[in-house]
Amino acid sequence: MLKVIRMNPIPYSMMFLTVLLSACLQQEDTQITLIKSLTKKGQSPVIQGDTAFFFYTGNAKNASIVGDFTGWQPKSMQKIIGSNIHYHTEVFQPEARLEYKLIIDNSWKTDPLNDDSCITDLGFNSEVKMPEYLEPEWIYEDEETPGGALYQFNLESKIFGKTRPVAVYLPSGFEKEAEYPVLIVHDGLDYVRRGRAQLQLDNLIHKQVIVPVVVLFVSPQERTREYRDDLKADYVRFIEEELLPYAVSQYNIKEKKDVRGVMGSSYGGHISLYSAVRYPDKYKYVAPFSPYVSIEVLESLRGSNSWKKIYLLHGTYDHLDKIHSSVASLNQLFQSMDNYTYVEEPEAHNYYFWRKHFAEVLKYFYGDC
């Protein structure tokens, strides 16, 4: 189990301080050239050992940094007197991957010296990847990998009185007479779009890392109410009484018994746990990622031990206190159970973290199914 060591910013090494001070007397173009030479062809931050050095050079009255490692609360960058260079240092674990932005005179922007960025619901963030961070292995296209079929459609729901967006994944070579494990993925269309779920499934199945599996990707329409509050019972009924029967009938799916899985992130983790409590004879594999858990569901989990496998994922840089407390409660509860896996890594509350472990859950659930 990984643990993050948080430390206060430390001073630059003498070499960095000397170089930065010498830059104070230079013209702006020279400063930019110097900083870029330090940051390996424009890549920022500079990483030495476990320390990341962030820079901003430009005319700014105020410069701050904000990100996963600040709890998304601004931290002022220090300015070298007589120059337009601002800097900030942080100490991270060698496996960390974190997102951040700069705030320059109240304007939020990506780091102009950092070519690494990622897309979020609110635009682009800059990324810092420490030297031992491992990129997800299964998210890249392989020309030799045959693709499974992904059917996206709106299903009419009598329970909700309206249509709902869903998707069904059938593996390459799907046979109507064969039995397949079924996995339910909450916030499913986000996992398809942002988690590269179909590509990961195709690669893992083609390489025979997992057995062929059928996946139902389900997305909410009123997320908080359906995943946490007053509509959660209707939501899981919709899956059990409407979506699953429709998929079985429409695509001639024969579900393999006692290996149905369910997974989701954040509130999606909550509804995954709730589903397993509500239908303990149906859901045998459960994977909550960075989950919130209510007292109601937590109490229902106590004494339950009907599941075959549990995979709990937590990012130590999660900015939500309720996630940390939920994970701590779940970890304490699950420790006495057989076939329980707890993974804690120096990352945060986002799909770039979760998509890496989508493949790990598939291997854990269906690598030996």
Side-chain angles (χ1 to χ4, degrees):
M1 182 175 68
L2 301 175
K3 293 184 179 179
V4 169
I5 301 174
R6 294 181 182 270
M7 298 177 63
N8 293 325
I10 62 175
Y12 278 98
S13 67
M14 184 59 67
M15 180 191 74
F16 272 80
L17 189 57
T18 301
V19 173
L20 286 171
L21 288 174
S22 68
C24 296
L25 303 177
Q26 306 298 320
Q27 297 297 317
E28 182 174 337
D29 290 345
T30 305
Q31 292 176 17
I32 293 174
T33 301
L34 177 60
I35 296 299
K36 284 191 174 182
S37 70
L38 287 174
T39 56
K40 297 180 181 179
K41 299 181 181 179
Q43 293 299 305
S44 174
V46 174
I47 296 173
Q48 287 196 325
D50 59 1
T51 305
F53 300 83
F54 298 87
F55 298 95
Y56 177 75
T57 177
N59 295 321
K61 293 182 179 179
N62 298 290
S64 300
I65 191 167
V66 61
D68 293 325
F69 45 89
T70 72
W72 289 98
Q73 298 299 312
K75 279 188 176 181
S76 295
M77 301 179 76
Q78 298 184 53
K79 184 177 182 180
I80 298 178
I81 298 175
S83 78
N84 63 1
I85 297 176
H86 296 77
Y87 67 92
H88 180 76
T89 63
E90 289 279 349
V91 174
F92 302 126
Q93 278 190 276
E95 307 90 351
R97 177 206 168 270
L98 301 163
E99 299 176 16
Y100 71 98
K101 277 189 171 178
L102 302 182
I103 305 177
I104 308 302
D105 292 334
N106 297 319
S107 177
W108 290 52
K109 59 179 63 181
T110 55
D111 186 343
L113 291 177
N114 188 348
D115 291 338
D116 290 333
S117 63
C118 58
I119 185 67
T120 74
D121 288 336
L122 300 177
F124 285 92
N125 288 338
S126 295
E127 293 179 291
V128 53
K129 299 175 183 177
M130 295 300 282
E132 295 183 23
Y133 171 75
L134 297 177
E135 295 285 353
E137 182 179 359
W138 302 98
I139 64 172
Y140 303 104
E141 292 187 13
D142 184 341
E143 293 181 355
E144 297 182 357
T145 298
L150 185 72
Y151 301 96
Q152 298 191 49
F153 54 92
N154 290 317
L155 180 63
E156 187 71 36
S157 170
K158 293 182 180 179
I159 292 173
F160 285 103
K162 54 185 175 182
T163 60
R164 302 187 62 89
V166 295
V168 176
Y169 171 86
L170 302 181
S172 175
F174 176 80
E175 298 177 359
K176 295 180 180 179
E177 300 304 317
E179 291 186 340
Y180 293 91
V182 172
L183 173 67
I184 310 295
V185 180
H186 296 297
D187 287 315
L189 297 183
D190 281 334
Y191 270 92
V192 172
R193 178 172 58 93
R194 301 168 63 181
R196 301 186 184 181
Q198 182 181 1
L199 188 57
Q200 295 196 62
L201 284 159
D202 289 343
N203 287 333
L204 289 164
I205 292 170
H206 175 64
K207 298 294 185 181
Q208 298 184 344
V209 177
I210 64 171
V211 300
V213 58
V214 170
V215 183
L216 305 185
F217 295 100
V218 195
S219 291
Q221 292 180 317
E222 296 182 71
R223 191 170 188 272
T224 301
R225 294 184 66 193
E226 293 173 4
Y227 279 9
R228 190 192 69 180
D229 295 336
D230 58 309
L231 295 180
K232 62 182 182 294
D234 288 339
Y235 180 82
V236 296
R237 279 185 56 226
F238 159 73
I239 293 173
E240 189 65 29
E241 298 176 16
E242 295 183 330
L243 175 56
L244 277 163
Y246 175 84
V248 166
S249 173
Q250 180 71 15
Y251 301 105
N252 297 298
I253 298 169
K254 290 187 177 181
E255 182 177 2
K256 189 174 182 179
K257 293 183 178 180
D258 295 330
V259 289
R260 183 188 297 176
V262 60
M263 64 168 292
S265 307
S266 196
Y267 282 164
H270 182 261
I271 197 65
S272 297
L273 292 165
Y274 179 77
S275 301
V277 168
R278 188 70 181 269
Y279 298 99
D281 58 327
K282 300 289 186 180
Y283 294 96
K284 298 301 182 181
Y285 301 161
V286 187
F289 285 3
S290 308
Y292 161 81
V293 62
S294 64
I295 295 176
E296 171 198 355
V297 170
L298 187 63
E299 290 303 316
S300 298
L301 289 168
R302 298 188 189 280
S304 298
N305 196 13
S306 60
W307 309 308
K308 292 183 176 180
K309 295 180 181 180
I310 302 173
Y311 188 106
L312 176 60
L313 178 67
H314 181 46
T316 51
Y317 281 91
D318 200 303
H319 65 287
L320 299 171
D321 289 340
K322 63 183 178 182
I323 300 297
H324 291 289
S325 60
S326 291
V327 169
S329 297
L330 289 170
N331 188 35
Q332 183 179 25
L333 178 64
F334 290 152
Q335 281 180 352
S336 61
M337 297 184 179
D338 296 331
N339 297 318
Y340 166 54
T341 295
Y342 174 58
V343 179
E344 181 177 290
E345 293 185 357
E347 297 197 46
H349 199 89
N350 56 62
Y351 275 95
Y352 290 88
F353 178 37
W354 300 330
R355 76 177 183 180
K356 183 169 69 172
H357 287 273
F358 180 71
E360 298 307 309
V361 163
L362 290 172
K363 289 188 285 184
Y364 181 58
F365 284 179
Y366 304 119
D368 58 355
C369 182

